[in-house]
Amino acid sequence: MKYVVVSGGVISGIGKGVLASSTGLLFKTLGLRVTSIKIDPYMNIDAGTMSPLEHGECFVLNDGGEVDLDLGNYERYLNITLTKDHNITTGKIYSHVIERERKGDYLGKTVQVVPHVTGAIQDWIERVSKIPVDDSGLEPEVCIIELGGTVGDIESAPFVEALRQFQFRVGSENFALIHVSLVPVIHGEQKTKPTQAAIKDLRSLGLTPDMIACRCQEELEVATIEKIGMFCHVGPDQVIAVHDVNTTYHVPLLLKEQRIMKFLSKKLHLDPATVSKESIAKGDHLLARWKSLTSNYDKSYETVTIALVGKYTHLKDSYLSVIKALEHSSMKCNRKLKIEWVESTDLEEEAKVANLSEYHKAWHHVCQADGILVPGGFGSRGIEGMVAAAKYARENDVPYLGVCLGLQIAVIEFVRNVVGIKGSTSMEFDPNADEETASVVYMPDVDQVKLGGTMRLGIHETKFCAGSEDSTLRKIYGGADHVSERHRHRYEVNPKLISRIEKEGLQFIGKDETEARMELLELKNHKFFCGTQYHPEYLSKVLDPSRPFLGLVAAASGILDEILSRDDLNQKGEF
Ligand code: GLN
């Protein structure tokens, strides 16, 4: 197993995740099996209880793990399926060590950060790196480890120390470190001091960079590269420049141009002769497809505009997988994607009083958009704005996709305005709502008190109902009779209202295994008005876009029929 650690210095949030996944992709193009681990030094056990406005979206895995959004990057770039153990947090490590201490595993010893916590981290990494994550079912050969935060933070100290020890545990020919740094431009000059300081910090902790990846606005000047090489004690081929590009899909190619694989292969003693011909061909194919995808993206000029009506729009990362699913779909439709961010409270009547210009601007975006998307969310703020947007889409034949909360919103709107139950809502927003007439109710089987990890989570099957053959959603899924997608919710459409809703034309065309829980909705006689109780964005892949999102973008681009007539819709991966 070859381990490639990606750490960061200077500041966080400079694209370590994209760099790490792009590096992983390049290993894959060599025909190798790649996995990844993300280390988050915070105390939380997982990302499930964290506000999206603080940390970005909570990504959900097949096994129900609620994890950091970077795991989404890895799954999307590397086409792999990770487990909750692939996201290591301080919370998980400490509870593991404390549990062992209570069992008496360390009997007689004083339990300490070094060696017990650092040892537990290394054992965890070794164990998890071996879990098969792709279709081959075989143990991976390369493991990318991304260390969250910046080196030098108090929180990350035990992890840095664990990695320092780990390089000796696995041997230097199996361990490489890429340190991501920032090169700011001040008065037109590329400044290397922050990078020098970051590398000094790293070395003082016992880690040596094999490569220094410099994030910068423009291409790095040769003089800057030379200066970093000289002051950071590395060769010029170990300094890589990752300047801003118009889409992150270009990053793997940017790294390839700088021949990072040449250096890493040498450092890690990778021998191409040991890779099977078949795997090499697969790797070449992957690279060719990636290249054509990015060049097609550059050549698409027509735009499709989607209004994203949500409640966490002030931090775009809150919707990272949704944005990616829209991007994947737009590339498939040969359109440039434009997202209009609409904060749902701005669409509400109160906004007229509080901030009239924001109210008009928000409605202008909704009315100008080719399609409307209401993504997932929690809590009552902004709900009425989303309901208003769903009403607008329904009444004006504008393509609409509601994801999770977005499906519940479409139902609330329909129950109020078409079925005629005024004031009907979700029990999430009004716990005292009448159980007979509330549109959305608590699922009987979820914990209502303990909030961590207790929702309906992870992959579950949805069966298409008899008679749904002509529905757009089923067609876009290639005529499948069932689909497996990832869930994260606590509430569901009120089973008591189904027949009344369906009588008016809003059909529930997909249900769970028990056929009691509504999973998919579609409105008759509408261009595209659909909802999914699950989150299809979590399984969207660069080369295989999520189907409900593809439906929305195709309908918004006016090419839904064209897309639906493709005969390769039922293929996965190569679609
Ligand atoms: N808050 C809603 C529920 O728990 C929707 C959840 C979501 O959008 N992920 O059911």
CSV table of all heavy atoms in Angstrom, one decimal, residues 375-379 403-406 408 426 428-429 440-441 443 455 487-492 533 535 537-538, ligand 1:
chain,number,residue,atom,x,y,z
A,375,PRO,N,-33.5,22.4,-2.6
A,375,PRO,CA,-32.7,21.2,-2.1
A,375,PRO,C,-33.2,20.9,-0.6
A,375,PRO,O,-34.1,21.5,-0.1
A,375,PRO,CB,-31.3,21.8,-2.1
A,375,PRO,CG,-31.5,23.3,-2.0
A,375,PRO,CD,-32.8,23.6,-2.5
A,376,GLY,N,-32.4,20.0,0.0
A,376,GLY,CA,-32.7,19.6,1.4
A,376,GLY,C,-32.5,20.7,2.4
A,376,GLY,O,-31.8,21.7,2.1
A,377,GLY,N,-33.1,20.5,3.6
A,377,GLY,CA,-32.9,21.5,4.6
A,377,GLY,C,-33.6,21.1,5.9
A,377,GLY,O,-34.4,20.2,5.8
A,378,PHE,N,-33.4,21.8,6.9
A,378,PHE,CA,-34.0,21.5,8.2
A,378,PHE,C,-34.5,22.8,8.9
A,378,PHE,O,-33.9,23.8,8.7
A,378,PHE,CB,-32.9,20.8,9.1
A,378,PHE,CG,-32.5,19.5,8.6
A,378,PHE,CD1,-31.5,19.4,7.7
A,378,PHE,CD2,-33.1,18.3,9.1
A,378,PHE,CE1,-31.1,18.2,7.2
A,378,PHE,CE2,-32.7,17.1,8.6
A,378,PHE,CZ,-31.7,17.0,7.6
A,379,GLY,N,-35.6,22.7,9.7
A,379,GLY,CA,-36.1,23.8,10.4
A,379,GLY,C,-37.0,24.7,9.6
A,379,GLY,O,-37.1,24.6,8.4
A,403,VAL,N,-35.7,18.2,-3.7
A,403,VAL,CA,-34.9,17.2,-3.1
A,403,VAL,C,-35.2,17.1,-1.6
A,403,VAL,O,-34.9,18.1,-0.9
A,403,VAL,CB,-33.4,17.4,-3.4
A,403,VAL,CG1,-32.6,16.4,-2.6
A,403,VAL,CG2,-33.1,17.3,-4.9
A,404,CYS,N,-35.6,16.0,-1.1
A,404,CYS,CA,-35.9,15.8,0.3
A,404,CYS,C,-36.8,16.8,0.8
A,404,CYS,O,-38.0,16.7,0.6
A,404,CYS,CB,-34.6,15.7,1.0
A,404,CYS,SG,-34.7,14.8,2.6
A,405,LEU,N,-36.3,17.9,1.5
A,405,LEU,CA,-37.2,18.9,1.9
A,405,LEU,C,-38.0,19.5,0.7
A,405,LEU,O,-39.1,19.9,0.8
A,405,LEU,CB,-36.4,20.0,2.6
A,405,LEU,CG,-37.2,21.3,3.1
A,405,LEU,CD1,-38.2,20.9,4.2
A,405,LEU,CD2,-36.2,22.4,3.5
A,406,GLY,N,-37.3,19.6,-0.4
A,406,GLY,CA,-37.9,20.1,-1.6
A,406,GLY,C,-39.1,19.3,-2.1
A,406,GLY,O,-40.1,19.9,-2.6
A,408,GLN,N,-41.0,17.6,0.1
A,408,GLN,CA,-42.0,17.9,1.2
A,408,GLN,C,-42.6,19.3,0.9
A,408,GLN,O,-43.8,19.4,1.1
A,408,GLN,CB,-41.3,17.8,2.5
A,408,GLN,CG,-40.8,16.5,2.8
A,408,GLN,CD,-39.9,16.4,4.1
A,408,GLN,OE1,-39.7,17.4,4.8
A,408,GLN,NE2,-39.5,15.2,4.5
A,426,SER,N,-45.7,20.9,7.7
A,426,SER,CA,-45.0,19.8,8.2
A,426,SER,C,-45.0,19.8,9.7
A,426,SER,O,-44.8,20.9,10.2
A,426,SER,CB,-43.6,19.8,7.6
A,426,SER,OG,-42.8,18.9,8.3
A,428,GLU,N,-42.6,19.1,11.3
A,428,GLU,CA,-41.2,19.7,11.6
A,428,GLU,C,-41.3,21.2,12.0
A,428,GLU,O,-40.6,21.7,12.9
A,428,GLU,CB,-40.3,19.5,10.4
A,428,GLU,CG,-38.9,20.0,10.7
A,428,GLU,CD,-37.9,19.8,9.6
A,428,GLU,OE1,-38.3,19.3,8.5
A,428,GLU,OE2,-36.7,20.1,9.8
A,429,PHE,N,-42.2,21.9,11.3
A,429,PHE,CA,-42.4,23.3,11.5
A,429,PHE,C,-43.4,23.6,12.6
A,429,PHE,O,-43.4,24.7,13.2
A,429,PHE,CB,-42.7,24.0,10.2
A,429,PHE,CG,-41.9,23.5,9.0
A,429,PHE,CD1,-42.5,23.2,7.8
A,429,PHE,CD2,-40.6,23.2,9.2
A,429,PHE,CE1,-41.8,22.6,6.8
A,429,PHE,CE2,-39.8,22.7,8.1
A,429,PHE,CZ,-40.5,22.4,6.9
A,440,VAL,N,-46.9,16.7,6.0
A,440,VAL,CA,-45.7,15.9,6.3
A,440,VAL,C,-45.6,15.6,7.8
A,440,VAL,O,-45.9,16.5,8.6
A,440,VAL,CB,-44.4,16.8,5.9
A,440,VAL,CG1,-43.1,16.0,6.2
A,440,VAL,CG2,-44.5,17.1,4.4
A,441,VAL,N,-45.3,14.3,8.1
A,441,VAL,CA,-45.4,13.9,9.5
A,441,VAL,C,-44.1,13.2,9.9
A,441,VAL,O,-43.3,12.8,9.1
A,441,VAL,CB,-46.6,13.0,9.8
A,441,VAL,CG1,-47.9,13.7,9.6
A,441,VAL,CG2,-46.5,11.7,8.8
A,443,MET,N,-41.6,10.3,10.9
A,443,MET,CA,-41.6,8.9,10.6
A,443,MET,C,-41.7,8.1,11.9
A,443,MET,O,-41.0,8.5,12.9
A,443,MET,CB,-40.4,8.5,9.8
A,443,MET,CG,-40.4,8.9,8.4
A,443,MET,SD,-39.1,8.3,7.5
A,443,MET,CE,-37.8,9.3,8.0
A,455,MET,N,-31.4,9.7,12.0
A,455,MET,CA,-32.4,9.9,11.0
A,455,MET,C,-32.5,8.6,10.1
A,455,MET,O,-31.8,7.6,10.4
A,455,MET,CB,-32.0,11.0,10.1
A,455,MET,CG,-32.3,12.4,10.6
A,455,MET,SD,-31.9,13.6,9.5
A,455,MET,CE,-30.5,14.3,10.2
A,487,HIS,N,-30.4,8.4,1.6
A,487,HIS,CA,-31.4,9.1,2.3
A,487,HIS,C,-30.8,9.9,3.6
A,487,HIS,O,-29.8,9.4,4.1
A,487,HIS,CB,-32.5,8.2,2.8
A,487,HIS,CG,-33.3,7.5,1.7
A,487,HIS,ND1,-32.7,6.6,0.9
A,487,HIS,CD2,-34.6,7.7,1.4
A,487,HIS,CE1,-33.6,6.2,0.0
A,487,HIS,NE2,-34.8,6.8,0.3
A,488,ARG,N,-31.5,10.9,4.0
A,488,ARG,CA,-31.2,11.6,5.2
A,488,ARG,C,-32.4,12.4,5.6
A,488,ARG,O,-32.5,13.6,5.3
A,488,ARG,CB,-30.0,12.5,5.1
A,488,ARG,CG,-29.5,13.1,6.4
A,488,ARG,CD,-28.3,13.9,6.2
A,488,ARG,NE,-27.7,14.3,7.4
A,488,ARG,CZ,-27.5,15.6,7.8
A,488,ARG,NH1,-27.9,16.5,7.0
A,488,ARG,NH2,-27.1,15.9,9.0
A,489,HIS,N,-33.4,11.8,6.3
A,489,HIS,CA,-34.6,12.5,6.7
A,489,HIS,C,-35.2,11.9,7.9
A,489,HIS,O,-35.0,10.8,8.3
A,489,HIS,CB,-35.6,12.7,5.5
A,489,HIS,CG,-36.2,11.4,5.1
A,489,HIS,ND1,-37.5,11.2,5.0
A,489,HIS,CD2,-35.6,10.2,4.7
A,489,HIS,CE1,-37.8,9.9,4.6
A,489,HIS,NE2,-36.6,9.3,4.4
A,490,ARG,N,-36.1,12.8,8.5
A,490,ARG,CA,-36.7,12.4,9.8
A,490,ARG,C,-38.3,12.4,9.6
A,490,ARG,O,-39.0,11.8,10.3
A,490,ARG,CB,-36.3,13.4,10.9
A,490,ARG,CG,-36.5,12.9,12.2
A,490,ARG,CD,-35.8,13.8,13.2
A,490,ARG,NE,-34.5,13.2,13.6
A,490,ARG,CZ,-33.3,13.9,13.6
A,490,ARG,NH1,-33.3,15.1,13.1
A,490,ARG,NH2,-32.2,13.3,14.0
A,491,TYR,N,-38.7,13.1,8.5
A,491,TYR,CA,-40.1,13.2,8.3
A,491,TYR,C,-40.5,12.6,6.9
A,491,TYR,O,-39.6,12.4,6.1
A,491,TYR,CB,-40.5,14.7,8.3
A,491,TYR,CG,-40.2,15.4,9.6
A,491,TYR,CD1,-39.0,15.9,9.9
A,491,TYR,CD2,-41.3,15.5,10.5
A,491,TYR,CE1,-38.7,16.5,11.1
A,491,TYR,CE2,-41.0,16.1,11.8
A,491,TYR,CZ,-39.7,16.6,12.1
A,491,TYR,OH,-39.5,17.2,13.3
A,492,GLU,N,-41.8,12.4,6.7
A,492,GLU,CA,-42.3,11.8,5.5
A,492,GLU,C,-43.6,12.4,5.1
A,492,GLU,O,-44.3,12.9,5.9
A,492,GLU,CB,-42.4,10.3,5.6
A,492,GLU,CG,-43.4,9.8,6.6
A,492,GLU,CD,-43.6,8.3,6.6
A,492,GLU,OE1,-43.5,7.7,5.5
A,492,GLU,OE2,-43.9,7.8,7.7
A,533,GLN,N,-37.6,11.9,-2.2
A,533,GLN,CA,-37.4,12.0,-0.8
A,533,GLN,C,-36.0,11.7,-0.4
A,533,GLN,O,-35.4,12.2,0.6
A,533,GLN,CB,-38.4,11.0,-0.1
A,533,GLN,CG,-38.3,11.1,1.4
A,533,GLN,CD,-38.7,12.5,2.0
A,533,GLN,OE1,-39.8,12.9,2.0
A,533,GLN,NE2,-37.7,13.2,2.4
A,535,HIS,N,-31.7,11.8,-1.5
A,535,HIS,CA,-30.8,12.8,-2.1
A,535,HIS,C,-30.0,12.2,-3.2
A,535,HIS,O,-28.9,11.7,-3.0
A,535,HIS,CB,-29.8,13.2,-1.0
A,535,HIS,CG,-30.4,14.0,0.1
A,535,HIS,ND1,-30.3,15.4,0.1
A,535,HIS,CD2,-31.0,13.6,1.2
A,535,HIS,CE1,-30.9,15.8,1.2
A,535,HIS,NE2,-31.4,14.8,1.9
A,537,GLU,N,-28.2,13.6,-5.3
A,537,GLU,CA,-27.0,14.3,-5.6
A,537,GLU,C,-25.8,13.5,-5.0
A,537,GLU,O,-24.6,13.7,-5.5
A,537,GLU,CB,-27.0,15.7,-5.1
A,537,GLU,CG,-27.0,15.9,-3.5
A,537,GLU,CD,-28.4,15.9,-3.0
A,537,GLU,OE1,-29.4,15.4,-3.6
A,537,GLU,OE2,-28.6,16.4,-1.9
A,538,TYR,N,-26.0,12.7,-3.9
A,538,TYR,CA,-24.8,12.1,-3.3
A,538,TYR,C,-24.2,11.0,-4.2
A,538,TYR,O,-23.1,10.6,-4.0
A,538,TYR,CB,-25.3,11.4,-2.0
A,538,TYR,CG,-25.6,12.4,-0.9
A,538,TYR,CD1,-26.7,12.2,-0.1
A,538,TYR,CD2,-24.9,13.6,-0.7
A,538,TYR,CE1,-27.0,13.1,0.9
A,538,TYR,CE2,-25.2,14.5,0.3
A,538,TYR,CZ,-26.3,14.3,1.1
A,538,TYR,OH,-26.6,15.2,2.1
B,1,GLN,N1,-36.1,18.3,7.4
B,1,GLN,C1,-36.7,17.2,6.5
B,1,GLN,C2,-36.7,15.9,7.2
B,1,GLN,O1,-36.0,15.7,8.2
B,1,GLN,C3,-35.9,17.1,5.2
B,1,GLN,C4,-34.5,16.6,5.4
B,1,GLN,C5,-33.6,16.9,4.3
B,1,GLN,O2,-33.9,17.7,3.4
B,1,GLN,N2,-32.5,16.3,4.3
B,1,GLN,O3,-37.4,15.0,6.8
